[in-house]
Amino acid sequence: QVANIYVTVTAGSIWAALADILDQPAALLQILGESIPMMVGYFLSLLITKILAGLPMVILRGGALSRMFLLRTCFNRKKLTQRELDEVYRKEPLYFGWEYPTQMLVIMIAFAYAYISPVILPVAAAYFLGALIVYKKQVLYVYTATYEGGGRLFPVACDKTLVGLIISQLTFIGYSLIRKGQRQPLFLFPLPFITKYMIYYFREHYATPSTKLSLERAIELDHVVHLKTADKDADESEASQVGKEKLAQRFKEEYYRQPVLTLEAGRPMPYRREKGVDELTATALKTLQASVSRFQIMTDEAKQGVQSGSSSPRKNRGRRRLDV
């Protein structure tokens, strides 16, 4: 995003003033100082487009809308399987790799032109107000988390934002020099160093400590989990022990193994979930009842190899695997 903005600003300014620069090469800095503010019109148009078109497209959800349109116009709902319907109504995740750069682009534009053309600040504020309303609704009611990152992206986003602020401050100093400012660069010179120090301060006092958990806090959290897992009617003195036993019963050795190795056999789904299991599905489920996971097959082969003294047993090579 930084390269996108500053290459656009520099290239656009030079291209717009190219004829004047060729005529008066000695006045290069003066010409650039007058032409750089002219690029604000492009970025204002970009922000207004994102407000009036980009945010409504986020609410509209074009992918889900197109799937629903194709379902209703090109397919017969009665002839689709339950899995095909689930694919149409599948949950939509929040793509952080797409959404974060989009917001960073707007804030970088605001940082870059805040001192050159302050008129861009109200437009950027209007965008972030609309983005707050739109994405708050989407995150609460639409997007479904497919994994839990533990807040690891937030410190990275803060660092990148402050780095963008440093670049805009350096640009401000350079622009002041282009405009023949004498005292302004002296007062602006400490700003990048102060921002760099704040990055270090936030990282040391907030980001790094948030990745660690004190022993006292871990014990407290375990106690709370045990109380929530235990029966509601149990006394608090017994609830912790009861909850601990229940968690031990639920824990499986496969939690920390490769998911593809512990994947259970595929199970057929009924024609419609709301109608329950039909006779054909019940027969198939009964047939697959004895199937085991790939990890269990490999474990059984390893045990047989140890018992027989063979290093790589393949006695069950011909066994039919029903897992998918």
Side-chain angles (χ1 to χ4, degrees):
Q1 303 301 341
V2 172
N4 187 10
I5 293 172
Y6 286 97
V7 168
T8 302
V9 171
T10 306
S13 302
I14 294 176
W15 182 260
L18 183 60
D20 296 334
I21 293 174
L22 293 177
D23 292 338
Q24 301 176 357
L28 173 63
L29 296 181
Q30 181 180 356
I31 295 173
L32 286 179
E34 295 175 354
S35 60
I36 286 178
M38 302 301 294
M39 289 299 299
V40 72
Y42 165 75
F43 289 111
L44 276 175
S45 302
L46 176 63
L47 294 186
I48 293 174
T49 303
K50 292 178 75 66
I51 294 172
L52 300 180
L55 294 178
M57 288 298 296
V58 174
I59 298 179
L60 191 61
R61 297 173 59 208
L65 182 63
S66 61
R67 292 196 303 269
M68 183 63 63
F69 177 76
L70 290 175
L71 174 65
R72 294 182 178 274
T73 56
C74 303
F75 298 96
N76 187 349
R77 184 186 180 92
K78 295 182 179 180
K79 296 182 179 180
L80 295 178
T81 64
Q82 184 63 51
R83 280 193 173 86
E84 291 173 334
L85 290 177
D86 290 343
E87 184 65 21
V88 174
Y89 295 100
R90 67 176 181 266
K91 297 178 180 179
E92 187 172 349
L94 176 60
Y95 297 104
F96 294 100
W98 172 263
E99 300 298 345
Y100 265 101
T102 302
Q103 313 309 317
M104 291 293 294
L105 174 63
V106 178
I107 200 168
M108 284 297 301
I109 292 174
F111 283 163
Y113 270 93
Y115 50 87
I116 299 176
S117 298
V119 68
I120 204 169
L121 293 178
V123 181
Y127 171 81
F128 281 114
L129 177 61
L132 174 63
I133 298 173
V134 170
Y135 284 101
K136 185 177 181 180
K137 181 259 180 185
Q138 297 293 95
V139 170
L140 290 176
Y141 300 107
V142 177
Y143 296 139
T144 302
T146 56
Y147 61 91
E148 181 59 50
R152 289 178 176 268
L153 283 175
F154 185 73
V156 177
C158 292
D159 287 348
K160 301 304 181 184
T161 302
L162 293 178
V163 169
L165 181 59
I166 292 176
I167 296 175
S168 67
Q169 291 167 348
L170 294 175
T171 306
F172 191 11
I173 296 174
Y175 183 71
S176 300
L177 294 174
I178 290 176
R179 301 296 290 178
K180 299 180 179 180
Q182 297 178 357
R183 299 179 180 178
Q184 293 86 347
L186 296 178
F187 288 100
L188 295 173
F189 182 76
L191 288 181
F193 298 98
I194 295 174
T195 308
K196 178 62 178 177
Y197 171 75
M198 294 308 299
I199 294 176
Y200 171 79
Y201 181 85
F202 291 149
R203 188 176 301 165
E204 291 296 322
H205 289 78
Y206 297 101
T208 302
S210 66
T211 60
K212 299 177 176 62
L213 190 65
S214 64
L215 180 60
E216 181 181 359
R217 181 59 176 163
I219 295 174
E220 180 182 351
L221 291 176
D222 285 343
H223 181 67
V224 172
V225 171
H226 293 159
L227 292 180
K228 291 183 178 181
T229 309
D231 298 331
K232 297 181 179 180
D233 299 334
D235 298 334
E236 185 174 352
S237 58
E238 301 177 358
S240 180
Q241 184 63 27
V242 174
K244 187 183 300 185
E245 293 176 357
K246 285 191 174 183
L247 288 176
Q249 293 174 0
R250 295 178 184 177
F251 183 80
K252 298 179 180 179
E253 295 181 354
E254 298 179 352
Y255 279 158
Y256 298 103
R257 294 194 173 100
Q258 190 66 252
V260 70
L261 298 178
T262 61
L263 194 64
E264 296 295 334
R267 296 293 186 266
M269 298 181 65
Y271 171 68
R272 291 293 179 266
R273 188 179 289 106
E274 59 271 10
K275 294 183 179 181
V277 180
D278 54 275
E279 183 178 354
L280 182 61
T281 306
T283 304
L285 288 174
K286 186 176 181 180
T287 304
L288 294 174
Q289 193 69 31
S291 61
V292 294
S293 66
R294 297 175 183 175
F295 175 76
Q296 189 61 44
I297 294 175
M298 296 171 63
T299 304
D300 294 342
E301 291 180 351
K303 289 180 180 179
Q304 292 178 8
V306 172
Q307 293 175 359
S308 62
S310 175
S311 59
S312 58
R314 289 288 182 245
K315 294 182 179 180
N316 294 329
R317 182 184 294 273
R319 181 176 178 178
R320 182 183 179 186
R321 297 182 180 181
L322 299 177
D323 51 334
V324 294

